[in-house]
Amino acid sequence: MGLTAMGLIFWPLSLIFFFRKDPQRLLELTVIGGVFQAAAVLVLGGLGLQPSMAPGMMFIAFMGLQLALGITFPGASRQIKFCLPLLLAFSWAILGSILLPRLFEGKVLVWPQKLDELATRMPLSPQRGNITQDTYLILDLVMFIMTLLFLTRREADPRRLYLAYLIGAMLACLIGFWEMAHRLIGSIPFPKTLLYSNPGWAVLDTQMSGPVPRINATFAEPSACATFLIGTLYSTVWSTLRGYGGWLTRLMLVMSVICLLMTTSTTGYVAMLVGLMLLVIYAIVTRKRQLFRRLMMFIGAGVLCMGLTTLALAAFAPDVIKAASVVMLETQDKKQSVSYEERTQKDNDSYQLALETYGLGTGWGSNRSSSLLPGFLSTIGIVGVLGLVFWNGRLFVTIFRTLRAVANEQSLDAWMIEATFTALLGRTVATLISGPVLGTMDFYVLLAVLVSSLMRVQAGKGKTGHA
């Protein structure tokens, strides 16, 4: 067991906020810590606790003491009832991780969680991956429930949590710019020991796209950085189009776009195009003229900026244009790369596992895929996936009905619903394209903000304030 440099930052802050009885600050620190996914605050053998877990566990402990002391949370039962499909899906995943590896032991081949230890499939059996993934899942579930309970309190401020999310994204972008400067100018130091201290991750911080360095900022690889920033981009673009937020929202829109381009991640580029298509389809289907005009102005401004930038670079820095052309060609050719073929093979094997286990799956934590859907099908099976589909369908319907009912209002809760929904949607879209797992503690804090805001608006107790 070892305390890291990142731990010397997060553990003292977490303890200070805990003993000050400030759960709001603990939640904000959890959200900010979510961007440091390649770091660890504590190393236990080959595992590292991510920075968000330090304030997250302190928050759970604080709320647990509150419950033990008999403090009640009015309105929490309605929120928990609404989330029952999600809780049942989580329960199935945990139960399946215990039963399914034993039921199909030795009968199917799976990709292990630690691909660097054994770069080939192995016979299914109960393993450490089931225990570790269950532990993360239970922590996320408890964090989600405790955050829901806290957000029923009058002193809870969801807007501060969303601002913490934007500040975390800003830190990731600034570190990404710093990393690019370090890669281009070797004399500029970069704190790798601080940012990449988690032994549970294989950090890919030396990748190139043609002559251009690929950045991963505070994440283990460029695609992980792009996945996080896509959530930020979806949220800030939508908030800007709807007239929510202030200078920080607009600033993060610009910074996230620049940082996303610097990752040269195909996942990020595809998710950006998907988001643009969703915006256009939504504007056409809903026939909201004001939104459509803002969207067209937004697209026009973006095209104009790209055109002027291209002309300026062609005149004063033609080498940059050549490098960008190489990057685009390499991105288009990624389907012929060895890594793409390996990821496709893992996904195909995962789909096959769902068939070989009669749709039940191999158990949570038993198989590691390259993308989210084959990962779910191969581990929690059709039952778990249907449970998640039902939950997400219910959540989407509730969101659209609630927003339709308050269409002419711009309250704090309406802002939180739209901002957190689009942030979660963006991250989910990117993970569906290329990502084996979905959800960290900060993800479930945002989900709790979304659900609590929905329930408050439906109960007629929505919070007001500047949006």
Side-chain angles (χ1 to χ4, degrees), residues 49-262:
L49 292 181
Q50 292 180 328
S52 60
M53 289 188 178
M57 289 190 291
M58 288 294 178
F59 175 78
I60 291 172
F62 180 88
M63 294 299 294
L65 287 173
Q66 296 270 294
L67 291 171
L69 293 172
I71 295 178
T72 59
F73 298 89
S77 58
R78 186 168 183 266
Q79 298 186 12
I80 299 298
K81 183 178 179 181
F82 176 77
C83 297
L84 189 59
L86 179 63
L87 304 183
L88 290 175
F90 272 56
S91 301
W92 164 253
I94 296 170
L95 180 63
S97 71
I98 300 171
L99 299 178
L100 296 175
R102 292 165 175 81
L103 178 63
F104 298 107
E105 185 172 2
K107 298 178 181 178
V108 295
L109 297 176
V110 297
W111 288 100
Q113 289 291 324
K114 294 292 184 180
L115 296 177
D116 54 338
E117 294 178 0
L118 189 64
T120 185
R121 291 200 294 171
M122 58 184 294
L124 174 64
S125 64
Q127 54 185 293
R128 188 178 67 174
N130 299 117
I131 299 173
T132 56
Q133 295 304 309
D134 277 355
T135 302
Y136 292 141
L137 191 63
I138 292 170
L139 278 173
D140 291 338
L141 176 60
V142 174
M143 187 69 182
F144 173 65
I145 294 173
M146 293 300 186
T147 306
L148 279 178
L149 295 180
F150 172 70
L151 290 172
T152 62
R153 309 290 295 186
R154 183 174 298 177
E155 64 270 21
D157 190 346
R159 175 169 50 186
R160 282 172 51 186
L161 294 178
Y162 179 67
L163 294 179
Y165 169 72
L166 293 182
I167 290 171
M170 178 184 289
L171 286 174
C173 290
L174 291 174
I175 292 172
F177 300 152
W178 185 1
E179 181 190 6
M180 178 60 80
H182 165 73
R183 297 281 301 277
L184 293 174
I185 309 171
S187 59
I188 297 178
F190 186 71
K192 290 186 178 181
T193 305
L194 175 69
L195 298 173
Y196 308 141
S197 55
N198 196 326
W201 291 99
V203 179
L204 308 176
D205 61 334
T206 59
Q207 292 188 339
M208 301 287 291
S209 183
V212 179
R214 300 185 66 192
I215 67 161
N216 49 317
T218 56
F219 299 83
E221 58 181 345
S223 63
C225 179
T227 297
F228 176 85
L229 290 176
I230 279 294
T232 307
L233 181 61
Y234 275 35
S235 183
T236 52
V237 166
W238 182 255
S239 295
T240 301
L241 290 174
R242 291 280 289 130
Y244 293 122
W247 66 269
L248 182 59
T249 302
R250 278 67 173 173
L251 175 63
M252 283 315 306
L253 191 161
V254 176
M255 291 180 68
S256 58
V257 169
I258 297 173
C259 201
L260 266 168
L261 294 175
M262 290 167 59

Side-chain angles (χ1 to χ4, degrees), residues 118-408:
L118 189 64
T120 185
R121 291 200 294 171
M122 58 184 294
L124 174 64
S125 64
Q127 54 185 293
R128 188 178 67 174
N130 299 117
I131 299 173
T132 56
Q133 295 304 309
D134 277 355
T135 302
Y136 292 141
L137 191 63
I138 292 170
L139 278 173
D140 291 338
L141 176 60
V142 174
M143 187 69 182
F144 173 65
I145 294 173
M146 293 300 186
T147 306
L148 279 178
L149 295 180
F150 172 70
L151 290 172
T152 62
R153 309 290 295 186
R154 183 174 298 177
E155 64 270 21
D157 190 346
R159 175 169 50 186
R160 282 172 51 186
L161 294 178
Y162 179 67
L163 294 179
Y165 169 72
L166 293 182
I167 290 171
M170 178 184 289
L171 286 174
C173 290
L174 291 174
I175 292 172
F177 300 152
W178 185 1
E179 181 190 6
M180 178 60 80
H182 165 73
R183 297 281 301 277
L184 293 174
I185 309 171
S187 59
I188 297 178
F190 186 71
K192 290 186 178 181
T193 305
L194 175 69
L195 298 173
Y196 308 141
S197 55
N198 196 326
W201 291 99
V203 179
L204 308 176
D205 61 334
T206 59
Q207 292 188 339
M208 301 287 291
S209 183
V212 179
R214 300 185 66 192
I215 67 161
N216 49 317
T218 56
F219 299 83
E221 58 181 345
S223 63
C225 179
T227 297
F228 176 85
L229 290 176
I230 279 294
T232 307
L233 181 61
Y234 275 35
S235 183
T236 52
V237 166
W238 182 255
S239 295
T240 301
L241 290 174
R242 291 280 289 130
Y244 293 122
W247 66 269
L248 182 59
T249 302
R250 278 67 173 173
L251 175 63
M252 283 315 306
L253 191 161
V254 176
M255 291 180 68
S256 58
V257 169
I258 297 173
C259 201
L260 266 168
L261 294 175
M262 290 167 59
T263 65
T264 69
S265 168
T266 304
T267 299
Y269 295 169
V270 173
M272 288 173 69
L273 290 176
V274 170
L276 181 59
M277 290 172 56
L278 290 175
L279 272 176
V280 173
I281 292 171
Y282 179 81
I284 293 174
V285 170
T286 57
R287 299 180 181 178
K288 293 184 177 181
R289 295 182 179 179
Q290 184 178 12
L291 176 62
F292 191 80
R293 284 198 300 268
R294 288 181 178 179
L295 179 59
M296 291 300 103
M297 290 175 62
F298 181 80
I299 294 174
V303 171
L304 179 62
C305 288
M306 289 182 64
L308 292 175
T309 302
T310 302
L311 289 174
L313 290 174
F316 301 105
D319 291 341
V320 176
I321 299 295
K322 294 179 181 178
S325 300
V326 173
V327 170
M328 294 303 296
L329 290 173
E330 190 170 291
T331 301
Q332 293 174 4
D333 293 339
K334 279 189 177 180
K335 284 190 177 182
Q336 283 74 46
S337 66
V338 175
S339 61
Y340 179 84
E341 292 178 358
E342 290 176 351
R343 291 194 300 269
T344 303
Q345 184 62 49
K346 290 184 178 69
D347 287 344
N348 291 336
D349 292 338
S350 297
Y351 284 124
Q352 187 64 32
L353 278 173
L355 296 175
E356 292 175 353
T357 56
Y358 311 104
L360 294 174
T362 59
W364 185 249
S366 294
N367 180 68
R368 185 177 180 86
S369 66
S370 178
S371 301
L372 189 62
L373 182 57
F376 278 164
L377 285 171
S378 65
T379 54
I380 61 177
I382 295 176
V383 175
V385 171
L386 288 178
L388 292 176
V389 169
F390 179 78
W391 153 252
N392 282 286
R394 183 182 185 185
L395 181 63
F396 290 168
V397 170
T398 305
I399 289 171
F400 291 134
R401 286 178 177 175
T402 303
L403 292 178
R404 184 180 297 176
V406 294
N408 298 322

